[in-house]
Amino acid sequence: MSVDKQTVQKIASLSRIAITDAEADALVPELNNILGWVEQLGEVDCKDVEPMTAVIPNKLRLREDAVTDGDMRDKILKNAPAAEHGFFGVPKVIE
Amino acid sequence: MSNISDLGIAGIRDGLTGGDFTAREVAETFIGRVSAAKPLNAFLVETPDHALAAADVADKAIAAGETLGKMVGVPIGMKDLFCTEGVETTAASGILEGFTPQYESTVSANLFKAGAGMLGKLNMDQFAMGSSNETSAFGNVISPWRRNDGGNTDLAPGGSSGGSAAVVSGRIAPAATGTDTGGSIRQPAAFVGITGFKPTYGRCSRWGTIAFASSLDQAGPMAQDVRDCAIMLEAMAGFDPKDSTSLELPVPDWEAALNSNLAGKKIGIPKEYRVDNMPAEIDALWEQGIAWLKDAGATIVDVSLPHTKYALPAYYIIAPAEASSNLARYDGVRYGSRDLPDGAGLQDMYAATREAGFGAEVKRRIMIGTYVLSAGYYDAYYTQAQKVRTLISQDFEKAWNSCDLLLTPTAPSAAFGLGEKADDPLAMYLNDVFTVPSSLAGLPAMSVPTGLDGQGLPLGLQIIGKALDEQNVFNAGLALEERAGFVAKPEQWW
């Protein structure tokens, strides 16, 4: 499988990364080089092999369904580039 | 008495408890080393006040005869992947410029609880993606080492923990934290002639460590020798309910059980690690390592890890896939930088912010990850890679039927010059050929400096162990260390 310019632009859009036309052109061979290399995995016989889900067997823990922290609005907003009135600020979403 | 700046963790501990010097003197010595080391560009933030405050607490505790923490009075360097409360943390990226965590990562908190102070935050490859420290948004770290050809080519300190490697080898900090996703502790340790240890996945909490690939990321120590790594890992590790993959196990007393007598131990030599184009010097060092381990009492056995060649391509699907998901959080809303072009809506703001804030390698990996997880490609790439990962893990399980540990080189070359591989992502990825398989399997592994090549640059050997068997990895590392007698350090030119 290989990607063309249109696919690169689609991937960039899904990744929410703006790219120029020239960058898309440059990324086509770069990504194809990497994808061509990882494609060798296709030659491994993986019949009846389960995909890895955890490297070290470890049971997922459950805890009591209770509030354990919170009440730190100002700390959470402290690093927001545009916090206002106790909320995260975003540009207008609805026209 | 040797110079304070030559001492590691155990040396500082012994000097402090023996009354040879105070923790304040130690902190001041290394703060001076840090401010003189600016040409290496190893620190992104310097925090001398933190180191001094910890030193004063240590001196009081020593004077009062209190029980001392394992890291008491040791000023360390902190890789900038660890969130540190009130101290800017960027993972060497532009997108997190100005981010000041309101909380402390579990690993850094554990180290401070054990008495360590912090000299500053260390430069690294951006979001830990890189093997040469050239992807940092804040400039390359320059290795303290130079080739013995009389030239002054700037060399890569390795990556991603390049700042950590540079400061420990340059005797600018007695020890530093690292993180290892596919070799980011071990490869830089090998490049600069220090010891680096990646524990079993889950030993060190990931909470508060900026995520790259969560199923692989592990913190570990980078220090002068095996004993120092054991001490520091004891302080870093431990169960943390805030990390769902943290292992609920006690932390062993690895230092106390150090023992370089390997009688009864079987060391496997995986034949698939004899890769094409490996420098003869590295092959010779590997043979020398085999001889040293035999001398320590071990039996050598040949083993096969048949899926080794598929580890790197599997890694370069799995790690970017996880990264593309983890790095979705950098959206210009919650923290870090925001780029809001005139009249832009929310989606345009995301795209502009991420375009401006991420470096080229980070973007490349996010896009690869997005692609392999996208509809229609998920099974062919991602599921297949996770199946291959299972096979790689089973290779190790089978090898443990005939041996206790594995011995391999750490990296396929000595340090290269900055810029020499920067244009070819695939050539750069191959640096991790020996370290990635054990990362995929979550196994403990360490790099021990064992020799110099013809250019006068350090080379390392890697010990890989069974899950949770850090002790035997330390012990075999110690056996190598005692026999290699590696004492070389870089001449100070900075």
Side-chain angles (χ1 to χ4, degrees), chain A residues 31-94:
Chain A
L31 296 190
N32 277 331
N33 199 17
I34 296 169
L35 291 169
W37 172 68
V38 299
E39 225 134 77
Q40 58 178 300
L41 292 182
E43 72 197 43
V44 183
D45 179 6
C46 287
K47 202 161 77 66
D48 305 326
V49 177
E50 286 292 316
M52 172 76 83
T53 50
V55 285
I56 306 295
N58 194 4
K59 63 174 196 312
L60 285 177
R61 300 178 300 275
L62 297 175
R63 68 168 174 81
E64 205 180 321
D65 185 13
V67 176
T68 55
D69 64 3
D71 198 17
M72 51 176 87
R73 186 187 73 184
D74 292 347
K75 277 187 162 192
I76 287 166
L77 291 175
K78 183 99 176 171
N79 280 288
E84 286 173 61
H85 315 301
F87 294 94
F88 292 112
V90 295
K92 202 159 85 172
V93 182
I94 304 160

Side-chain angles (χ1 to χ4, degrees), chain B residues 18 36 170 181 190 196 270 292 329 339 345 370 378 408 447 450 468 477 494:
Chain B
T181 301
W292 281 328
R329 72 191 67 187
D339 195 344
T370 302
Y378 185 96
T408 80
S447 179
T450 43
L468 306 177
W494 57 90

Side-chain angles (χ1 to χ4, degrees), chain A residues 16 18 43 50 61 79 89, chain B residues 100 243 310 338 347 355 390:
Chain A
R16 299 292 184 272
E43 72 197 43
E50 286 292 316
R61 300 178 300 275
N79 280 288
Chain B
T100 306
D243 171 0
Y310 300 108
R338 160 182 291 197
Q347 297 295 337
E355 193 278 323
T390 298

Side-chain angles (χ1 to χ4, degrees), chain B residues 92-462:
Chain B
S93 73
I95 207 159
L96 275 174
E97 212 167 347
F99 173 62
T100 306
Q102 303 299 300
Y103 54 89
E104 193 69 47
S105 80
T106 298
V107 163
S108 55
N110 285 349
L111 285 163
F112 297 154
K113 234 179 287 160
M118 178 168 69
L119 292 163
K121 301 299 292 288
L122 292 163
N123 202 350
M124 51 181 282
D125 276 302
Q126 187 166 151
F127 285 111
M129 298 178 192
S131 305
S132 63
N133 221 116
E134 291 169 289
T135 71
S136 166
F138 306 108
N140 300 336
V141 174
I142 318 287
S143 172
W145 287 86
R146 287 191 159 163
R147 294 184 179 124
N148 60 8
D149 57 7
N152 48 14
T153 307
D154 285 337
L155 299 178
S160 68
S161 310
S164 310
V167 297
V168 175
S169 70
R171 305 299 188 259
I172 297 154
T177 54
T179 64
D180 193 314
T181 301
S184 284
I185 287 175
R186 292 161 283 163
Q187 180 256 20
F191 273 22
V192 301
I194 64 166
T195 309
F197 197 102
K198 182 196 91 74
T200 307
Y201 181 80
R203 278 282 192 202
C204 289
S205 168
R206 290 180 294 108
W207 195 80
T209 310
I210 294 173
F212 162 17
S214 304
S215 78
L216 296 153
D217 297 343
Q218 256 305 284
M222 299 176 72
Q224 287 182 16
D225 58 23
V226 172
R227 179 173 299 274
D228 282 4
C229 280
I231 299 169
M232 189 167 168
L233 185 58
E234 286 173 26
M236 295 169 76
F239 173 62
D240 179 7
K242 288 185 289 202
D243 171 0
S244 63
T245 57
S246 175
L247 294 169
E248 200 163 359
L249 295 169
V251 178
D253 193 344
W254 291 302
E255 188 202 3
L258 283 176
N259 175 5
S260 59
N261 180 351
L262 304 184
K265 295 292 172 207
K266 288 187 183 142
I267 312 288
I269 308 300
K271 63 178 184 206
E272 289 81 6
Y273 282 54
R274 292 194 191 282
V275 296
D276 295 341
N277 304 323
M278 190 156 74
E281 285 167 310
I282 292 182
D283 213 27
L285 186 71
W286 196 6
E287 289 302 323
Q288 178 64 65
I290 291 170
W292 281 328
L293 293 182
K294 269 188 201 162
D295 181 60
T299 311
I300 305 296
V301 296
D302 287 323
V303 298
S304 174
L305 302 168
H307 296 90
T308 297
K309 72 173 270 209
Y310 300 108
L312 264 186
Y315 176 85
Y316 275 97
I317 289 174
I318 294 164
E322 294 185 20
S324 72
S325 172
N326 273 326
L327 273 62
R329 72 191 67 187
Y330 304 107
D331 56 6
V333 173
R334 288 165 289 174
Y335 30 65
S337 60
R338 160 182 291 197
D339 195 344
L340 183 59
D342 271 351
L346 186 64
Q347 297 295 337
D348 295 330
M349 183 197 76
Y350 291 153
T353 296
R354 292 160 64 81
E355 193 278 323
F358 289 136
E361 179 63 20
V362 175
K363 287 181 195 167
R364 191 179 291 129
R365 295 202 197 185
I366 290 175
M367 290 180 63
I368 292 276
T370 302
Y371 181 66
V372 301
L373 291 177
S374 62
Y377 300 101
Y378 185 96
D379 280 338
Y381 286 114
Y382 185 72
T383 307
Q384 179 74 4
Q386 289 287 38
K387 286 180 179 173
V388 171
R389 188 177 185 182
T390 298
L391 293 172
I392 288 164
S393 192
Q394 288 172 353
D395 281 356
F396 283 107
E397 286 303 318
K398 284 174 197 154
W400 303 140
N401 290 331
S402 57
C403 66
D404 305 293
L405 298 158
L406 298 166
L407 175 73
T408 80
T410 306
S413 74
F416 44 83
L418 289 166
E420 282 175 14
K421 295 194 183 191
D423 296 334
D424 185 353
L426 272 186
M428 190 66 86
Y429 296 170
L430 294 174
N431 264 290
D432 294 332
V433 62
F434 299 138
T435 48
V436 152
S438 42
S439 289
L440 288 171
L443 303 174
M446 86 185 302
S447 179
V448 181
T450 43
L452 297 175
D453 74 356
Q455 311 175 93
L457 298 180
L459 298 171
L461 288 173
Q462 176 179 231

